[in-house]
Amino acid sequence: MKMNLHFWSVTLILVMLPAAVLAAPTEPPVNDPSITPKAPTLPLATDGTALLESFGGREGLVRIMDDVMVRWLANPKTRPFFEGADQASIKKHLVEQFCVVMNGPCTYTGRTMAESHKGMAVSEGAFYALVEELQISLNKAKVPFFAQNRLIAALAPMHRDIIDK
Ligand code: HEM
């Protein structure tokens, strides 16, 4: 009887395992290896919209992006990237992206981080300068420190798709 039970559990595992592997969802194929994502563009948050409220909701994010874009245009490390770009569109997509990252009632309509930063030669220095200016704007908007950390932690893995080594 003991042997029989063992036999059936082993058989069940052998039958179910390949079925589970075959049923696993597969990523859509990407033909261009230079835009294959290495990190999710929209990581998932799990605690309702409390985090978004710490940023003043969607309107708060709009004010923060208006403020930070002025800083990115003033900072010599980030200015070259943004001065010729469609700043209104970037701000709109950043609001959507941050809102979705924080579980807000928004839809991200922009491209992936790999696609939108491809060929831009963003350096590590430019990346940190951008994040520092963002932190200044977040402090000015009185976003609590814990909430800032949660956002930065969600954005940090994206550097793999943004910085050109
Ligand atoms: C965690 C850091 C970053 C995030 C979350 C981020 C996010 C975004 C988003 C959402 C867009 C809009 C994509 C679209 O319109 O389809 C964008 C575009 C852009 N980003 Fe970033 N970005 C980051 C870092 C950087 C850095 C470090 C630079 C340069 C210093 C940069 C320069 C740009 C530029 C110039 C565009 C416009 C590209 C175009 O219009 O083709 N970004 N970024």
Side-chain angles (χ1 to χ4, degrees):
M1 186 61 189
K2 223 176 179 187
M3 273 295 284
N4 234 347
L5 195 69
H6 180 71
F7 171 79
W8 283 113
S9 39
V10 170
T11 310
L12 203 67
I13 289 169
L14 288 178
V15 171
M16 295 302 282
L17 204 65
V21 170
L22 285 175
T26 47
E27 289 284 320
V30 176
N31 296 327
D32 181 349
S34 68
I35 56 164
T36 303
K38 299 186 193 74
T41 294
L42 305 167
L44 294 176
T46 51
D47 58 347
T49 55
L51 192 57
L52 178 61
E53 274 140 39
S54 314
F55 288 76
R58 204 180 200 283
E59 300 77 54
L61 286 178
V62 170
R63 283 193 296 272
I64 289 164
M65 291 317 157
D66 284 343
D67 187 74
V68 80
M69 185 55 82
V70 174
R71 294 175 192 284
W72 290 339
L73 288 167
N75 186 318
K77 287 194 179 141
T78 47
R79 186 198 306 129
F81 297 92
F82 291 101
E83 60 190 355
D86 183 343
Q87 294 146 16
S89 161
I90 298 173
K91 286 194 283 185
K92 171 178 171 266
H93 287 142
L94 278 168
V95 168
E96 292 173 356
Q97 186 189 38
F98 285 20
C99 176
V100 174
V101 164
M102 294 190 270
N103 259 357
C106 309
T107 305
Y108 178 65
T109 61
R111 295 159 292 166
T112 65
M113 292 302 91
E115 280 168 334
S116 50
H117 300 88
K118 186 187 168 208
M120 234 184 248
V122 174
S123 65
E124 221 168 70
F127 186 89
Y128 289 118
L130 173 137
V131 175
E132 266 170 38
E133 296 295 353
L134 176 62
Q135 281 170 323
I136 294 172
S137 293
L138 296 176
N139 284 333
K140 204 179 138 196
K142 299 200 170 16
V143 175
F145 209 57
F146 83 90
Q148 295 193 27
N149 283 345
R150 293 280 306 279
L151 173 70
I152 303 292
L155 299 181
M158 297 178 194
H159 80 269
R160 280 173 271 167
D161 287 328
I162 294 169
I163 297 175
D164 262 354
K165 287 264 154 60

